[in-house]
Amino acid sequence: MSSSQGFFFKVHEVAKLIPYGKVTSYGAIAKYLGASGSARMVGWAMNASHKDPGVPAHRVVNRVGLLSGKHHFEGTNLMQQLLESEGVEVVDLKVQDFEKLFWDPMKEL
DNA sequence: TGAATGACTTCGG
DNA sequence: CCCGAAGCCATTC
């Protein structure tokens, strides 16, 4: 319980810092946290974010802008709708102009 | 303790 | 960026 929150907490904090209408990748967050090799753990942390309101998990996608985690959201297209509601163009589960919308915590923070 | 899992990434073709 | 295979690492059973 408590011991595991460390990694999750940091991931949640970074996710909360993602600007509106922007997206980032698991690897970018992992690298920012100093766990570049634990990109998968970021995804795992996002899984825990489900109980942590305020964590925009829909803004976190894989390295190519693919909504790899959309299956973990309720419904069938909630994640895409959330992104589109923020002005992010999403086609076929992929973020369009990903390079433009990409928000790198290493670079911005 | 060891084996399996996963919301990823990188490399080669 | 598409496809397949290997690597990584914290968490779970």
Side-chain angles (χ1 to χ4, degrees), chain A residues 4 8-9 12 42-53 55:
Chain A
S4 47
F8 293 155
F9 182 76
H12 296 169
V42 175
W44 197 260
M46 299 320 291
N47 197 4
S49 77
H50 220 292
K51 64 178 183 179
D52 203 328
V55 179

Side-chain angles (χ1 to χ4, degrees), chain A residues 38-74:
Chain A
S38 309
R40 309 184 89 165
M41 292 302 91
V42 175
W44 197 260
M46 299 320 291
N47 197 4
S49 77
H50 220 292
K51 64 178 183 179
D52 203 328
V55 179
H58 59 271
R59 292 181 186 156
V60 185
V61 297
N62 73 0
R63 67 171 176 98
V64 297
L66 186 68
L67 281 58
S68 45
K70 92 150 252 164
H71 291 278
H72 293 259
F73 282 80
E74 297 179 6

Side-chain angles (χ1 to χ4, degrees), chain A residues 15-33:
Chain A
K16 290 174 186 174
L17 293 173
I18 302 174
Y20 182 93
K22 287 281 189 169
V23 293
T24 190
S25 67
Y26 304 92
I29 296 177
K31 187 176 182 181
Y32 176 73
L33 297 179

Side-chain angles (χ1 to χ4, degrees), chain A residues 85-96:
Chain A
S85 69
E86 296 188 357
V88 178
E89 186 180 7
V90 179
V91 177
D92 192 26
L93 303 182
K94 278 177 291 188
V95 176
Q96 305 305 292

